[in-house]
Amino acid sequence: MTNINFKVDKTKCINCKKCANDCFAKIIKMSAENTPLISEEDEQYCIKCQHCLAICPTGAISILEKNPENSKPCSNFPDSEQLLNLIESRRSIRIYKHENLPSKDLQKLKEILKFSPTGCNNHKLHFSIIDDVEVMDRFRNRTNNKIKKILLSLPINSVKNKFAKYRKEFLNGEDIIFRGAPHMIVVSSPINAPCANEDGIISLSYFELYAQSRGIGTLWCGFAQICLKLFPELCEFLQIPDGYKPIYVMLFGPTNVKYQRTIQPEEYTITSVKGDSNIDNMSFIKKIKRFFWNI
């Protein structure tokens, strides 16, 4: 039987039932004394979201050995316009200083990762972080040498379009893949996680915006992600656990680049759904098309 150690300080509990009403698993019940409790039989259904600890207005609830006095208050929200400007100002950074971030910044970036939401509160992501520029250089050189051997073995006309330009630049010594970044983070997920790919992308999105708020450059790196798939030994270098797959790669570090204004992006198509489409008369052919588009 799972012991989640659900405890209620009856001297603080005001019997408001907020914890019971907010419990996703519906396992918090009110006792005859009108205080919350979870039966031993129901403990196995707890998804460990800690919503009960977070919502209690008086800090009466502890769970999973987590005590409310060790949590921060949810009152210091950033100004919405400042947050909007942070999002609008985000840029992909491809020019970095060849030096380590201060240890304080690195530690703060690591701490934010545990707050990333995951599907079904799976919370089993793994993060491989290269936080030393010398280790990053070893990884960079190993990967670039592998790519160089492949490019030199391919006929020139087999690499077309924009990749032909990348080939020339790469063989001339430009760090096309890692852009000289001193640090890298790779998020990996168990192959059987319910939302493996989504969890990883969400976590790096949180990481990126927090890095931006500290003046730290980031870059979503698809080239590096491809390298991890092509060369499994790189996953061993990164100490990715067995049974995990790398979801995506982000480069990060200090940069001299400072953008002065936001860009003016093209609008996405946004549909305000009215709910009056005659979907009952949708043709079988269109249903088949939609099915294949969905998968």
Side-chain angles (χ1 to χ4, degrees):
M1 183 70 70
T2 303
N3 183 9
I4 60 176
N5 205 25
F6 180 81
K7 296 179 180 178
V8 179
D9 185 338
K10 295 182 180 180
T11 64
K12 295 180 179 179
C13 180
I14 58 174
N15 318 113
C16 65
K17 301 182 182 179
K18 289 183 178 180
C19 57
N21 293 335
D22 197 53
C23 179
F24 168 78
K26 303 297 181 186
I27 59 174
I28 299 178
K29 311 295 182 183
M30 303 305 289
S31 71
E33 299 174 338
N34 206 28
T35 55
L37 58 81
I38 299 176
S39 69
E40 289 185 7
E41 293 77 17
D42 284 341
E43 285 191 352
Q44 61 184 310
Y45 301 112
C46 176
I47 65 169
K48 303 179 181 179
C49 64
Q50 300 182 45
H51 276 210
C52 52
L53 177 146
I55 202 171
C56 179
T58 59
I61 292 177
S62 301
I63 191 170
L64 302 165
E65 306 296 338
K66 314 291 184 182
N67 298 314
E69 56 266 25
N70 296 326
S71 296
K72 297 177 183 178
C74 297
S75 57
N76 299 319
F77 294 120
D79 179 86
S80 61
E81 288 303 313
Q82 291 177 330
L83 181 58
L84 177 61
N85 185 255
L86 178 71
I87 295 170
E88 292 176 338
S89 302
R90 188 215 67 84
R91 297 284 86 214
S92 295
I93 302 299
R94 295 177 175 85
I95 302 175
Y96 293 91
K97 297 178 182 178
H98 193 255
E99 63 186 45
N100 288 329
L101 280 171
S103 57
K104 181 180 179 181
D105 282 329
L106 285 166
Q107 187 56 38
K108 286 288 187 180
L109 287 171
K110 292 176 182 178
E111 288 174 2
I112 195 67
L113 294 171
K114 63 187 176 185
F115 291 98
S116 303
T118 55
C120 304
N121 204 39
N122 189 257
H123 213 74
K124 291 181 180 177
L125 293 173
H126 178 270
F127 299 93
S128 300
I129 299 179
I130 299 183
D131 53 15
D132 187 296
V133 67
E134 293 183 3
V135 178
M136 185 67 199
D137 284 342
R138 292 204 301 271
F139 185 85
R140 185 192 335 268
N141 293 336
R142 176 184 287 269
T143 306
N144 285 345
N145 287 336
K146 286 181 170 294
I147 296 295
K148 188 177 293 185
K149 288 180 180 178
I150 293 175
L151 291 178
L152 289 173
S153 66
L154 292 173
I156 294 180
N157 21 350
S158 66
V159 183
K160 299 180 180 179
N161 302 327
K162 63 180 180 179
F163 293 103
K165 178 176 180 290
Y166 288 141
R167 179 186 191 276
K168 182 179 179 181
E169 292 174 347
F170 190 91
L171 294 178
N172 284 338
E174 290 195 37
D175 187 13
I176 298 297
I177 299 176
F178 301 103
R179 302 292 177 173
H183 303 303
M184 184 175 80
I185 178 171
V186 180
V187 58
S188 303
S189 179
I191 57 176
N192 60 352
C195 304
N197 295 328
E198 293 82 356
D199 291 346
I201 299 301
I202 290 170
S203 68
L204 290 186
S205 298
Y206 273 52
F207 180 91
E208 177 188 44
L209 283 178
Y210 184 64
Q212 170 93 355
S213 75
R214 299 185 71 89
I216 299 167
T218 58
L219 178 66
W220 295 83
C221 192
F223 282 160
Q225 174 67 10
I226 292 171
C227 290
L228 294 185
K229 292 182 178 181
L230 289 176
F231 311 121
E233 61 270 27
L234 296 180
C235 294
E236 291 299 304
F237 186 107
L238 295 167
Q239 298 172 251
I240 296 174
D242 292 347
Y244 276 66
K245 66 174 182 176
I247 302 302
Y248 218 84
V249 180
M250 181 168 284
L251 307 175
F252 68 100
T255 174
N256 282 325
V257 178
K258 182 174 177 59
Y259 294 95
Q260 302 301 320
R261 60 197 56 83
T262 66
I263 64 167
Q264 300 171 41
E266 298 298 323
E267 297 283 350
Y268 287 119
T269 300
I270 300 175
T271 300
S272 180
V273 179
K274 304 301 182 184
D276 55 2
S277 297
N278 192 4
I279 59 173
D280 292 332
N281 294 328
M282 185 178 183
S283 71
F284 178 75
I285 296 300
K286 190 166 185 180
K287 287 181 181 179
I288 293 296
K289 286 182 179 179
R290 178 62 64 184
F291 175 80
F292 282 102
W293 291 334
N294 288 347
I295 65 173

